[in-house]
Amino acid sequence: MPSTDAIEAPDAFELLGRVRYGRVATSMRAMPFMAPARHVLADGRVVLLLHRGLGCHRTCDGGVVTYGADNFGSGADLLWSVQLTGTAHVVDRPTESELALLGPVPHRMDGEPFDPAYLRIEPRFATVHSLDCSAERHSHHAP
């Protein structure tokens, strides 16, 4: 899987393994669409847990999608963002080990009961961006 940043693709998977949630992006009726998803990494693929009520899983099935996650809310000095692009396919039921890694299903999404749907992404490209905020936290700004 080619990487488009100085950080190699294996690092993209390692970083994704540090967080549980991200966003899948596709187009729906010719308009950009993003949906929150929980992810796990299995056999070089990304398995997503989505809310069926959004309809995103059907739109993504067989198409090229982008999945992104980051640590922006972590308060860390080194912030990062990972983006994977590849083909997505609906999975009727993930393997037992994938389900165990995904953990419990959320209770509600946008006020309605969460109805699980699953996608498996075969990544083709990975991009990692990093932002070093350490100097920002330790510098004093003039008024």
Side-chain angles (χ1 to χ4, degrees):
M1 173 172 40
S3 175
T4 57
D5 199 284
I7 299 175
E8 296 300 318
D11 292 331
F13 282 125
E14 191 272 325
L15 291 171
L16 274 181
R18 296 181 188 182
V19 295
R20 294 182 58 144
Y21 288 90
R23 293 153 300 283
V24 63
T26 188
S27 61
M28 188 179 271
R29 293 184 214 65
M31 298 295 291
F33 181 81
M34 288 178 54
R38 185 183 297 169
H39 66 266
V40 296
L41 308 171
D43 299 321
R45 295 182 184 104
V46 179
V47 178
L48 302 183
L49 167 64
L50 303 149
H51 175 52
R52 186 177 306 276
L54 297 176
C56 184
H57 65 291
R58 287 187 306 272
T59 302
C60 293
D61 192 28
V64 175
V65 302
T66 296
Y67 184 71
D70 58 62
N71 73 337
F72 290 171
S74 70
D77 281 341
L78 182 61
L79 301 178
W80 52 263
S81 173
V82 171
Q83 179 176 304
L84 300 175
T85 301
T87 305
H89 293 283
V90 169
V91 176
D92 290 327
R93 181 162 171 84
T95 66
E96 291 302 320
S97 63
E98 291 168 345
L99 286 171
L101 289 170
L102 282 165
V105 173
H107 297 290
R108 303 186 79 69
M109 171 92 182
D110 295 337
E112 64 181 64
F114 191 92
D115 185 9
Y118 303 94
L119 280 177
R120 186 170 282 124
I121 301 173
E122 181 80 37
R124 298 291 180 216
F125 303 98
T127 304
V128 176
H129 295 287
S130 61
L131 182 62
D132 185 347
C133 297
S134 58
E136 187 177 304
R137 296 185 199 285
H138 302 293
S139 66
H140 300 282
H141 298 290

